[in-house]
Amino acid sequence: MTAKNSRKRFGLLFLVSLSIAGITTSATAEQRIDAKMNDQLVMAGVRIAWQNTLPLGFTRSIKSYHLIDEYLYAVGTDAELRVIRADTGQHIWTKPIAKPMETVYAPIAYHTQEINAVALTRLSDILLLDPETGDELNRYKISSPTPSAVALSNDNIYAAAMGSRVFNYSISKKISVWQLSTTGPISLSPLCLSHIHISEPTRPY
């Protein structure tokens, strides 16, 4: 089995185990795992890799889970990010990432020769955190509120903006390099493909 196939299989086993076992807020909820469904998983050759209980109060819950590299990121309704090692289920850190009710979009990976980070997009800035410790590595301001998570590639930040526009920011220069107008509003995140070169416009818009 190749390393690539191994990672795919591990991701499948892990996600299935997460959805079945559940990361819950109380021991009572953990005891309500559906036995019949577990039997079906065993018959299908799928095993539960691990179970864990996240540190949550009764008034808080997890809005979304995101599997990125070897970490599972759990975004809570309390504007805190809880991070678990995907291979062992160990909870390694919790960090506030926004004010209550503030918009935070799905985290994305950001890897360069100089930095290994997880990036969190908020309405007007981007927060880079160390996946292992939760320490803040950097923070980038964006001039226009964005309706979705940004895309990061090397020295570039690609962000959609209110008003049917897409911006390219230079991280090192800390300026907007170019912007494009679109024929309609953009609500999804930009997609950056490494084998496609995006040329700068010859004139400003």
Side-chain angles (χ1 to χ4, degrees), residues 94-164:
T94 296
K95 185 182 183 70
I97 53 173
K99 298 176 181 178
M101 305 305 293
E102 183 180 3
T103 299
V104 179
Y105 299 109
I108 60 172
Y110 178 49
H111 305 308
T112 69
Q113 292 182 348
E114 295 78 23
I115 193 170
N116 175 40
V118 58
L120 292 154
T121 307
R122 300 185 290 195
L123 283 178
S124 58
D125 65 3
I126 304 160
L127 191 63
L128 296 187
L129 302 179
D130 185 321
E132 186 66 33
T133 64
D135 294 337
E136 182 175 329
L137 302 176
N138 217 328
R139 187 178 302 204
Y140 304 121
K141 295 289 293 182
I142 47 180
S143 59
S144 299
T146 177
S148 59
V150 302
L152 293 163
S153 177
N154 297 323
D155 189 48
N156 299 292
I157 299 173
Y158 301 99
M162 306 298 182
S164 305

Side-chain angles (χ1 to χ4, degrees), residues 20 26 41 49 56 61 67 70 75 93 96 124 159 163 169 174 187 195:
I20 302 304
S26 69
L41 289 176
L56 288 170
S61 61
L67 181 61
E70 64 266 37
V75 181
W93 55 267
S124 58
Y169 296 92
K174 298 181 179 180
S187 58
H195 63 282

Side-chain angles (χ1 to χ4, degrees), residues 193-204:
L193 302 177
S194 59
H195 63 282
I196 295 179
H197 175 70
I198 301 177
S199 299
E200 297 183 11
T202 56
R203 63 180 188 277

Side-chain angles (χ1 to χ4, degrees), residues 30-49:
E30 286 184 353
Q31 294 169 357
R32 295 176 181 173
I33 299 173
D34 191 336
K36 182 178 180 180
M37 189 172 292
N38 278 333
D39 291 340
Q40 291 174 342
L41 289 176
V42 171
M43 292 177 62
V46 178
R47 63 181 179 84
I48 295 177

